[in-house]
Amino acid sequence: MTFTPTTKGSFIAGIGLWLMLWLGLFKMDEIVQDTHLRRFVSSQGCVRWISQHRSTTLLGTELINYGTHGISNPDGVVFAIGGTIVNALMIFCLLPLRSFLKRKS
């Protein structure tokens, strides 16, 4: 496969979009200001659920990723592959490392 500038841009855009979504998850407590809503939605609660259901989370994010961008357009697939890499790293590497470091301190 030849990596054209468009393909590289799609890949980087996929990485950037999913990084922004994951960072938004960590800022969810600051975004949700309503105390009644905060009881149901919190970043710590979401991270705890993701840690307990890693495979389900990865399947859900990939369903959204490929369902939105499709598999018929090569640039959309490369965009989704960038998102897949970010999602897998977050779910299986960075979130467990984050919880391990929190337990240690």
Side-chain angles (χ1 to χ4, degrees):
M1 180 177 178
T2 305
F3 289 110
T4 63
T6 303
T7 307
K8 290 177 190 173
S10 295
F11 183 73
I12 293 170
I15 290 173
L17 174 71
W18 281 97
L19 276 175
M20 294 298 288
L21 291 173
W22 280 104
L23 291 173
L25 173 73
F26 294 122
K27 291 290 187 179
M28 188 183 303
D29 292 333
E30 295 175 22
I31 295 170
V32 177
Q33 296 293 327
D34 186 19
T35 56
H36 299 294
L37 190 59
R38 193 178 283 184
R39 196 172 4 155
F40 299 108
V41 179
S42 69
S43 61
Q44 190 60 29
C46 290
V47 169
R48 192 177 322 112
W49 190 90
I50 290 168
S51 297
Q52 293 172 354
H53 304 92
R54 291 181 187 160
S55 299
T56 305
T57 303
L58 185 62
L59 286 173
T61 57
E62 295 314 301
L63 180 67
I64 292 169
N65 207 1
Y66 287 98
T68 303
H69 305 294
I71 58 171
S72 60
N73 183 3
D75 291 328
V77 172
V78 173
F79 183 92
I81 289 171
T84 300
I85 292 170
V86 169
N87 292 333
L89 283 174
M90 288 298 292
I91 293 168
F92 294 109
C93 297
L94 295 176
L95 288 179
L97 180 65
R98 181 179 180 255
S99 65
F100 174 74
L101 293 174
K102 273 190 160 183
R103 277 185 274 138
K104 221 149 187 231
S105 63

